Amino acid sequence: ERGDSANAARLQQRSERAWRSVWRPKFKGGFFAPKQEDGNWQEPFDEFGWGGAYTEASAWQYRFYLPHDPEGLRDAYAAAPGNMTMCDFLKSTMEGRGVRNPGSTYHNGDWGLHHEQVEMVESGIGEYEHNNQPVWHQLYMFA
């Protein structure tokens, strides 16, 4: 219901907690990663793997997918091992000079090759994949 500030506050608190439960700061400076039913991290974790826990993308494209809390994500990156800022990670994503020098890398996921994977490689801007919805908000995160 419109004007329901108590419910809005409850949902805001839930959203602030929920993303942190899938934030994996110790994995190469921070990724949103899937967990198993028992709460442990899914292993092995392939940050270049498309599908599975990610829709039309990999963990690289979802690395900044927190449009409702950019300040919280900024702080999470700052607190993660590696002493890098969120801007540093965006730059490494776009240049293809990340922790493992990913370039434009993908591993076919559950549903095989997807046209966005090919387009990402053809665009030549690393793991930043502006041709696909999961990253359309990224540049606004830094505005």
Side-chain angles (χ1 to χ4, degrees):
E1 182 176 317
R2 192 173 174 152
D4 185 352
S5 58
N7 199 31
R10 182 179 62 83
L11 292 172
Q12 178 67 33
Q13 288 175 342
R14 183 188 299 173
S15 73
E16 289 171 3
R17 283 190 319 268
W19 72 263
R20 286 175 172 81
S21 71
V22 292
W23 173 249
R24 194 169 178 178
K26 293 180 181 174
F27 188 89
K28 300 179 185 178
F31 279 94
F32 291 106
K35 287 190 169 183
Q36 301 176 112
E37 286 186 29
D38 64 5
N40 290 315
W41 296 112
Q42 181 180 307
E43 296 292 352
F45 174 56
D46 178 8
E47 77 268 28
F48 298 109
W50 282 52
Y54 307 98
T55 302
E56 294 188 4
S58 72
W60 277 91
Q61 288 76 45
Y62 279 91
R63 202 164 198 189
F64 304 101
Y65 199 74
L66 199 63
H68 66 284
D69 191 6
E71 293 85 5
L73 187 59
R74 176 201 61 212
D75 295 345
Y77 273 113
N83 198 28
M84 291 178 68
T85 68
M86 193 164 78
C87 289
D88 294 332
F89 281 107
L90 178 66
K91 184 178 178 191
S92 72
T93 297
M94 294 179 83
E95 291 180 343
R97 296 189 185 131
V99 179
R100 283 185 15 194
N101 298 322
S104 291
T105 302
Y106 61 83
H107 301 152
N108 288 342
D110 302 340
W111 34 262
L113 183 64
H114 205 268
H115 69 92
E116 279 91 351
Q117 294 165 297
V118 175
E119 293 163 359
M120 178 185 69
V121 172
E122 290 174 348
S123 72
I125 46 179
E127 298 302 311
Y128 178 78
E129 184 206 2
H130 197 73
N131 61 299
N132 200 13
Q133 295 90 333
V135 302
W136 286 353
H137 74 288
Q138 281 187 12
L139 298 179
Y140 296 100
M141 296 283 286
F142 299 89

